[in-house]
Amino acid sequence: MDAAVMTSPAVLILLGPPGAGKGTQARMLEENFGLVQLSTGDLLRAAVAAGTEAGKAAKAVMEAGDLVSDGIVIAILRDRLAEPDCAKGVILDGFPRTTVQAEALDGLLESTGQKINAAISLEVEDGEMVTRISGRYTCGGCGEGYHDTFKQPATTGTCDKCGSTDMERRADDNAETVASRLEAYHAQTAPLIAYYRGKGALKTINAMGEIDEIAHGLNDIVASAMT
Ligand code: AMP
């Protein structure tokens, strides 16, 4: 890119209900565009595993499928954003999830002179979510995501990317919790679609198809949002 038109690091937001494929697609965008995926869900699960104060406060809330308090999530995200690798540009996966978080993000970016390149809404039907979520699992070695029906590794139980055989299923990926997570999405997160539309930053993509097909469409959106 011409130095004269170089801009500050890109900030992309992936919006969408649980199971829409935000994590899977964020990982692909991370590879394709050299960005850093920031998943507040991953950061919170790490805090729970490490037994930090934030993790202790978040554990039961996450198990119930509710949203962790804005204060905890904003603090975790702010600290992570301040780490040097984020200067490459970031893809926010699972943040913001409330208007308070969206406004806090605006404030954080304003203080560093950055702006949101695009907030991309992955559109999927609720009926599809339970099937998608209940079949998914992740490689414990590298975080690559898999699915019983939609994306199996070449060798059953072995990660295609890193060869690990340590596969994990999330505790909150069960039918009851998924219902609460969908409810939280519709009540607290879906209003962000209008929020970003109002700022002229909203892009939408039909996320009901094949993973590769969606990735292709997303790549085009991100490429144009980064120019
Ligand atoms: P995820 O991995 O994005 O599906 O998030 C898993 C769980 O972490 C959610 O169901 C929430 O309990 C919590 N969580 C993740 N991100 C946020 C956020 N931005 N705000 C509040 N809670 C969150």
Side-chain angles (χ1 to χ4, degrees), residues 38-56:
L38 294 191
S39 153
T40 41
D42 285 349
L43 293 170
L44 287 165
R45 280 184 286 279
V48 170
T52 64
E53 284 308 311
K56 283 181 203 153

Side-chain angles (χ1 to χ4, degrees), residues 16-21 121-133 178 182 185-186 205-209 214:
S121 173
L122 277 64
E123 300 189 325
V124 268
E125 290 157 17
D126 277 7
E128 176 88 358
M129 296 298 107
V130 179
T131 323
R132 285 200 188 185
I133 292 180
V178 169
L182 274 174
Y185 172 77
H186 287 296
I205 184 160
N206 177 350
M208 289 291 286
I214 299 159

Side-chain angles (χ1 to χ4, degrees), residues 5 23 49 56 65 68 71 77 83 100 127 132 136 145 170 173 192 194 226:
V5 294
K56 283 181 203 153
V68 174
L77 196 269
E83 287 176 30
V100 171
R132 285 200 188 185
R136 71 184 184 181
R170 278 170 48 175
D173 278 352
L192 296 182
M226 285 177 61

